[in-house]
Amino acid sequence: CADERPASITIFVASTLTDDQTDEYFPNPIRQCAKIYNTLCALAFPTSMSQVFAFSHRIDCPREYDGWFAFDPEEEFARMGVPDASWRISNINHDYSACSTYSRKTCVPCGIRDWELREALEFRAMERYPCLAWKDPVTHAAICRSSQPLTGLFKARNREDERLVQLIRLANPSDAPLYIVDSRPQINAVINTGVKGAGYEGGRYEQCEVVFLGVENIHNVRKNYSRLRELCMAATCDDEHWLSLVEQSRWLHLLSTLLQG
């Protein structure tokens, strides 16, 4: 039969914590556990928004510092070893006219020209053309991002977009197929093809393999998060049914799907 006892967490602690006042190791494991427990509670259930990590951990900048210049795209690209023989920095979006949701500078394969990018972005939802998101400076393996292609019911094609994807594949050192990861369930992608005129990369992209993660749309994700939040912030805790209530929120199912992807 199922164990009806309330769920519990056992904490094993080594003598690595120090006393704030004496700067000595805690001799008593109970005190160590108590400090860890209090820290976990403070982080998991903050009493004010100022204690949330996003607000409490921030760079100390002078008041006159312009935060718009905190991120330097060229410095970030240089950290990844770009530009190099395979990748270049494009200024096609310098005034955000090419894609309003991309940065002013994007990284694309060296073999693609800016006029070809303009042709390719018209074939992508919200003009989000494929561009570099991360590259390992040692192995040169790369991860790119883009929106779905606008293939529509008649499975339209775009020569520049197909060439851009092929150049991304060639820029990676592996001979394996280029994996195109679509976060949607495949049935949603098929429906969008007919309803919204969008679609997904089919067999016309050579040596590419489309993998669907099966993540539900943003509305369902938001609903799952709201259920979990309400459960965690409830005034009373139903220990007997806690795990089943968490399961009903489907939040763990979403995390499992992302990790499998």
Side-chain angles (χ1 to χ4, degrees):
C1 61
D3 191 349
E4 298 295 335
R5 294 176 297 177
S8 61
I9 299 177
T10 302
I11 302 177
F12 296 92
V13 181
S15 298
T16 56
L17 298 181
T18 58
D19 192 303
D20 296 333
Q21 298 179 353
T22 64
D23 198 30
E24 296 178 353
Y25 287 117
F26 280 138
N28 190 341
I30 296 179
R31 293 180 60 193
Q32 297 184 42
C33 293
K35 186 169 184 178
I36 291 179
Y37 174 79
N38 292 332
T39 301
L40 290 175
C41 287
L43 295 175
F45 306 102
T47 56
S48 68
M49 290 299 294
S50 62
Q51 297 177 352
V52 177
F53 178 83
F55 296 97
S56 62
H57 183 78
R58 60 182 182 273
I59 301 176
D60 293 327
C61 299
R63 185 177 297 273
E64 63 275 9
Y65 181 77
D66 190 347
W68 285 105
F69 296 96
F71 173 75
D72 185 347
E74 292 191 3
E75 182 179 337
E76 178 65 14
F77 289 142
R79 185 182 66 85
M80 297 186 292
V82 174
D84 59 11
S86 300
W87 300 92
R88 70 176 180 89
I89 298 175
S90 172
N91 295 310
I92 189 176
N93 200 38
H94 67 93
D95 56 355
Y96 300 101
S97 61
C99 179
S100 60
T101 56
Y102 272 4
S103 61
R104 290 183 296 110
K105 296 179 182 291
T106 55
C107 190
V108 296
C110 290
I112 199 77
R113 290 161 289 187
D114 281 352
W115 72 264
E116 293 178 293
L117 285 178
R118 294 191 182 278
E119 294 293 329
L121 64 86
E122 294 180 358
F123 192 64
R124 293 282 173 169
M126 300 184 69
E127 293 78 39
R128 294 174 180 166
Y129 55 93
C131 64
L132 184 70
W134 175 84
K135 184 177 82 71
D136 190 300
V138 178
T139 66
H140 302 292
I143 297 177
C144 295
R145 63 157 297 175
S146 73
S147 60
Q148 56 192 9
L150 304 177
T151 55
L153 277 174
F154 300 102
K155 298 183 179 180
R157 300 180 63 176
N158 182 288
R159 181 175 57 186
E160 288 75 20
D161 184 76
E162 292 178 20
R163 182 168 183 269
L164 175 56
V165 173
Q166 286 304 308
L167 288 173
I168 290 175
R169 181 184 65 81
L170 295 174
N172 281 268
S174 174
D175 293 330
L178 177 67
Y179 288 99
I180 300 176
V181 181
D182 194 320
S183 62
R184 303 169 294 176
Q186 184 172 3
I187 184 63
N188 290 18
V190 174
I191 293 175
N192 287 343
T193 301
V195 176
K196 298 182 178 180
Y200 57 94
E201 295 85 352
R204 297 180 180 181
Y205 290 79
E206 297 180 3
Q207 294 186 326
C208 295
E209 182 176 337
V210 181
V211 179
F212 293 96
L213 294 187
V215 178
E216 300 180 71
N217 60 46
I218 185 61
H219 306 292
N220 288 331
V221 171
R222 188 183 297 114
K223 185 186 301 181
N224 296 343
Y225 171 75
S226 297
R227 290 173 179 172
L228 181 67
R229 186 177 184 277
E230 292 173 0
L231 182 61
C232 293
M233 302 302 293
T236 59
C237 179
D238 185 357
D239 288 338
E240 184 177 353
H241 302 96
W242 169 258
L243 295 179
S244 61
L245 292 173
V246 172
E247 175 64 23
Q248 290 175 17
S249 72
R250 292 187 60 79
W251 184 254
L252 296 180
H253 174 76
L254 170 64
L255 297 182
S256 175
T257 302
L258 292 174
L259 290 174
Q260 289 176 17

